[in-house]
């Protein structure tokens, strides 16, 4: 299954995407900050056997143009991505995402003008006020940036710390994508930390699949998400410390494909 890339015009310039599959339901995938659609590189050809899948680069990340300035909120990012999906001819879409991407998927499902069928969420940031304040203050320190190359060592240390048991390929991907946007890597993060997905999640009237790694950073929020969402079920991939789409792409894609079949049968 071939993975293809492309661009679509948006309110903030061009949005880059990767896509696979030529038939079946539409699926839109959004990534975590500060990475890109490349995190779905292994998921796309598998899921593309069952669906038409598009993984977007969030504005300001990967190869997508940035917003005109810092300070935009998650619903505004989601509206831009929803209009990009519409411009590609997507309709009756299953929106999915990881961490920041989960918040984007929830909000995109609310504003997409051609129908949202369901959502797939991995790590919903349902923070307490104290947790939110801590992430806002401490998760995105300014990165070093000099001719000594300290930014590269900083990025390596960061991912070795926040992604336990990461592989060489995962480290390469994360550091490379972070370095592409090092001067604005915090924009999407901060928007996600300011955003409370609780009310928009509870307001969804479509099926919700919570698809998470057992030991993900936000796995403790899954019971809260399960209680909030009207039509939700939880699938936990056992033993994974996080990043189910990167560590177990075949199983991640399989679970989404099964969910698509269940949703279609309703």
């Amino acid at each position: 299954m071939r993975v293809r890339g492309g661009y679509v015009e948006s309110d903030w310039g061009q949005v880059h995407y990767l896509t696979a599959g030529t038939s079946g339901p539409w699926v839109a995938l959004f990534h975590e900050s500060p990475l890109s659609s490349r995190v779905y590189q292994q998921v796309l050809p598998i899921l593309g056997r069952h669906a038409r899948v598009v993984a977007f680069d969030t504005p300001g990340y990967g190869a997508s143009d940035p917003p005109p300035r810092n300070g935009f909120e998650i619903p505004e990012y989601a509206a831009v991505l929803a209009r990009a999906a519409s411009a590609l001819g997507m309709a009756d879409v299953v929106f999915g995402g990881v961490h920041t991407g989960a918040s984007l998927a929830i909000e995109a499902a609310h504003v997409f003008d051609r129908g949202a069928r369901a959502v797939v969420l991995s790590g919903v940031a349902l923070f307490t006020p104290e947790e939110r304040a801590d992430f806002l203050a401490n998760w995105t320190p300014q990165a070093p940036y000099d001719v000594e190359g300290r930014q590269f060592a900083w990025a390596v240390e960061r991912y070795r710390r926040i992604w336990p048991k990461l592989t060489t390929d995962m480290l390469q991907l994360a550091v490379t994508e972070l370095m592409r946007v090092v001067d604005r890597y915090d924009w999407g993060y901060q928007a996600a930390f300011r955003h409370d997905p609780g009310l928009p999640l509870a307001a969804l009237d479509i099926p919700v699949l919570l698809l998470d790694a057992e030991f993900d950073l936000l796995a403790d929020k899954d019971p809260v998400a399960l209680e909030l969402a009207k039509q939700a079920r939880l699938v936990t991939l056992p033993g994974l410390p996080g990043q189910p789409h990167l560590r177990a792409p075949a199983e991640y894609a399989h679970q989404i494909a099964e969910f698509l079949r269940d949703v279609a049968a309703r």
Side-chain angles (χ1 to χ4, degrees):
M1 177 66 63
R2 182 184 171 207
V3 175
R4 307 176 307 280
Y7 290 87
V8 61
E9 292 295 330
S10 82
D11 303 348
W12 294 343
Q14 290 191 316
V15 172
H16 177 256
Y17 63 88
L18 298 175
T19 184
T22 57
S23 63
W26 285 104
V27 178
L29 296 176
F30 305 131
H31 60 84
E32 62 272 60
S33 299
L35 305 181
S36 76
S37 57
R38 287 184 61 211
V39 299
Y40 294 111
Q41 191 81 45
Q42 297 180 73
V43 172
L44 286 164
I46 304 170
L47 191 54
R49 300 173 192 147
H50 311 277
R52 293 169 288 180
V53 192
V54 183
F56 291 92
D57 288 357
T58 303
Y61 295 94
S64 287
D65 289 333
R69 56 172 174 79
N70 191 11
F72 286 95
E73 304 298 345
I74 287 295
E76 295 170 293
Y77 280 92
V80 170
L81 289 165
R83 286 191 287 273
S86 183
L88 288 174
M90 302 178 73
D92 200 19
V93 175
V94 175
F95 289 99
V98 177
H99 287 208
T100 301
S103 293
L104 290 169
I106 292 168
E107 294 289 357
H110 279 291
V111 300
F112 187 58
D113 63 357
R114 303 186 68 186
R117 175 178 289 198
V119 292
V120 180
L121 309 173
S122 301
V124 185
L126 293 162
F127 296 128
T128 65
E130 295 76 18
E131 289 170 333
R132 191 174 306 284
D134 180 61
F135 274 95
L136 281 166
N138 299 310
W139 193 256
T140 57
Q142 184 175 355
Y145 191 71
D146 57 36
V147 295
E148 303 299 323
R150 289 188 302 134
Q151 60 269 34
F152 299 105
W154 171 83
V156 169
E157 186 281 327
R158 178 181 177 85
Y159 274 98
R160 291 183 66 183
R161 173 167 44 84
I162 68 174
W163 280 11
K165 301 179 182 178
L166 82 175
T167 66
T168 302
D169 287 344
M170 288 175 64
L171 180 63
Q172 175 71 19
L173 171 62
V175 170
T176 300
E177 294 305 299
L178 172 54
M179 287 295 95
R180 292 176 75 177
V181 297
V182 67
D183 59 328
R184 58 174 183 269
Y185 88 98
D186 60 321
W187 289 17
Y189 266 136
Q190 290 286 307
F193 299 151
R194 291 191 300 266
H195 178 256
D196 185 352
L199 287 177
L201 174 60
L204 288 176
D205 286 317
I206 54 178
V208 176
L209 172 62
L210 302 169
L211 178 56
D212 210 357
E214 182 178 6
F215 302 110
D216 186 87
L217 177 68
L218 297 176
D220 65 326
K221 308 304 179 188
D222 289 336
V224 183
L226 198 58
E227 185 173 339
L228 283 172
K230 293 185 181 75
Q231 304 178 50
R233 72 170 181 257
L234 172 63
V235 174
T236 300
L237 302 185
L240 297 182
Q243 302 78 47
H245 51 321
L246 287 167
R247 298 180 193 268
E251 182 61 19
Y252 185 83
H254 169 74
Q255 292 295 338
I256 295 177
E258 287 291 311
F259 181 59
L260 295 177
R261 282 190 281 271
D262 290 347
V263 170
R266 295 189 178 204

